[in-house]
Amino acid sequence: MSGGALRLTGLTRVHGKGSVPALADVDLEVPAGSCVAVLGPSGSGKSTVLRLTAGLDEPTAGSVHLDGVDLAGVLPERRGMAMVFQRPLLFPHLSVRDNVAFADRVRGAPRRAARRRAEEFLELVQLGGYGGRPARALSGGQEQRVALARALAAEPRVLLLDEPFSALDARLREEMHELLAGLRMRLDPTILLVTHDHAEAAALADRVAVLDGGRLLQAGPMRELYARPASLAVSRLLGGRTEVAGVVRDGRHESPLGALDLAAPVPDGPAVLVVRHEAVRVTTAADPAADAVGTAVRVRPRGLRALVTVEVTGDGRTATVDAELGPGEDVATGRTVGLRLPVADRWVVPVDHDAPAQPVPSPSDA
Ligand code: ADP
Ligand code: MG
């Protein structure tokens, strides 16, 4: 199997006259053999992207190109695409093997040949030996493997995955991630994956497109989005927790945390400092390298690494910074601590009036 190059241009879907677009003017490239994740909250238009790509729904405007060919008017079954949904949608009364062989049989392949190919794809998803079982006898994770084998057996130019692992528990989900990574090495498919889980996008995709309210907010490699979100909305969708309102003056961000140098030049004016909790280090109040000193107001254990919220007061105003502690590190609530915010991990985004940053109390009510 070799994947095709997918290009979505100005893709728009409006369901009713005067209603808010489910998808608005989305441009997205999925290079051949790559995996692109569409990441967004529920209702953001993720499934709409897949349905329009697959031809299950028609765009109000815009186009879908596969290897340079416009797919307008091309029937879903002629697009060379296969989809895997959150629910596996197997035929429960058929054997696992015949579920995978189904597409070949419909296309008129002889039963024996179709079953032989089905077995090959079952091997690929590590279900060799399960072919004779009835599909209803499988666990959720196994069902999803069969759904994946069935999709791959169609040898699609593009594999469309609509939150296929979100119903699985964490351990199974991780197994599926490893399986998919292995399949990518062996088959080189083009994958458009939809997920609401930024960790899943980070684990699987070469590039990520962040969708909210039907609009594409930002696209790029996941590391870049984590480190340099274009907006507060992107920062939040990627699990960013710290938002410190302030003002940029002469390349420094001024806030209750003090005047902090920024790694990149930023124009003067109001701006929100964001910094990943994974990058912040909690030290002692006496730490000469601390960028700010504050009080630990909340500590939440998260496995080996606790998450601590530190309140910092400056100029009569208060800001909070979240930090992930190192394994085994602990901080008591109420303790005064130092915070190190590495320059490379500081980033500012514009003030978002629709999604106000953490309220900044005025000096009078502090
Ligand atoms: P997601 O997959 O990100 O949860 P969807 O793409 O399913 O989001 O939906 C995007 C928006 O379009 C939602 O507001 C949803 O209610 C709306 N929508 C989806 N399908 C229809 C439809 N057939 N008729 C009207 N609205 C729809
Ligand atoms: Mg959906």
Side-chain angles (χ1 to χ4, degrees):
M1 178 192 322
S2 69
L6 182 69
R7 184 156 51 84
L8 313 180
T9 312
L11 212 54
T12 300
R13 178 67 167 102
V14 184
H15 282 288
K17 246 204 161 117
S19 67
V20 183
L23 202 66
D25 200 18
V26 165
D27 293 326
L28 188 63
E29 287 225 31
V30 188
S34 73
C35 176
V36 170
V38 175
L39 174 70
S42 175
S44 59
K46 305 183 299 296
S47 293
T48 302
V49 171
L50 291 196
R51 292 174 58 77
L52 295 173
T53 303
L56 299 172
D57 188 11
E58 268 190 50
T60 309
S63 60
V64 177
H65 285 78
L66 181 57
D67 292 328
V69 176
D70 190 342
L71 296 184
V74 177
L75 291 172
E77 57 271 27
R78 303 207 158 259
R79 291 192 173 202
M81 298 186 191
M83 186 115 107
V84 178
F85 300 91
Q86 188 177 339
R87 314 285 330 263
L89 307 173
L90 302 181
F91 298 112
H93 57 286
L94 289 186
S95 68
V96 166
R97 181 187 304 118
D98 283 343
N99 265 281
V100 178
F102 189 77
D104 274 357
R105 289 289 286 148
V106 168
R107 270 191 248 126
R111 182 188 303 264
R112 187 189 277 264
R115 285 184 167 169
R116 202 175 322 114
R117 274 192 82 239
E119 289 292 353
E120 283 171 30
F121 284 94
L122 285 170
E123 290 282 345
L124 269 179
V125 298
Q126 295 160 14
L127 283 180
Y130 283 73
R133 300 194 188 187
R136 63 172 175 275
L138 298 177
S139 69
Q142 290 168 340
E143 282 183 323
Q144 217 41 321
R145 282 170 196 252
V146 175
L148 200 52
R150 182 178 55 184
L152 291 169
E155 303 205 12
R157 309 280 291 140
V158 179
L159 189 57
L160 303 171
L161 306 178
D162 194 349
E163 311 208 38
F165 313 133
S166 60
L168 305 177
D169 69 45
R171 191 179 56 84
L172 274 179
R173 204 178 315 137
E174 204 165 306
E175 275 180 34
M176 292 300 282
H177 292 170
E178 277 170 31
L179 178 73
L180 196 64
L183 289 171
R184 287 193 63 196
M185 302 231 279
R186 296 181 64 171
L187 301 177
D188 207 27
T190 301
I191 301 176
L192 184 54
L193 162 81
V194 153
T195 178
H196 64 267
D197 176 1
H198 63 87
E200 180 163 276
L204 294 176
D206 305 309
R207 287 172 65 82
V208 179
V210 180
L211 204 61
D212 197 15
R215 294 182 181 278
L216 190 62
L217 300 186
Q218 190 176 3
M222 198 65 183
R223 275 182 180 281
E224 191 178 306
L225 270 59
Y226 274 130
R228 298 191 283 277
S231 63
L232 216 44
V234 173
S235 169
R236 287 176 184 178
L237 288 170
L238 267 50
R241 310 178 61 94
T242 298
E243 302 170 1
V244 180
V247 175
V248 173
R249 237 175 250 131
D250 301 328
R252 308 174 99 195
H253 185 264
E254 301 177 5
S255 76
L257 304 184
L260 294 175
D261 286 327
L262 299 172
V266 181
D268 284 3
V272 180
L273 176 78
V274 294
V275 55
R276 296 291 304 190
H277 45 282
E278 298 93 335
V280 177
R281 277 211 47 211
V282 175
T283 61
T284 62
D287 175 15
D291 296 296
V293 172
T295 308
V297 291
R298 213 172 145 202
V299 183
R300 274 149 292 175
R302 291 186 153 192
L304 279 180
R305 294 170 174 267
L307 194 65
V308 54
T309 299
V310 177
E311 213 168 75
V312 179
T313 302
D315 283 344
R317 295 185 303 144
T318 300
T320 60
V321 175
D322 275 11
E324 192 177 73
L325 299 177
E329 279 178 24
D330 198 14
V331 167
T333 307
R335 265 266 294 282
T336 305
V337 296
L339 290 175
R340 291 191 194 177
L341 309 158
V343 178
D345 295 302
R346 300 173 194 164
W347 183 249
V348 299
V349 296
V351 176
D352 185 340
H353 296 287
D354 294 332
Q358 291 171 324
V360 181
S362 67
S364 58
D365 55 29

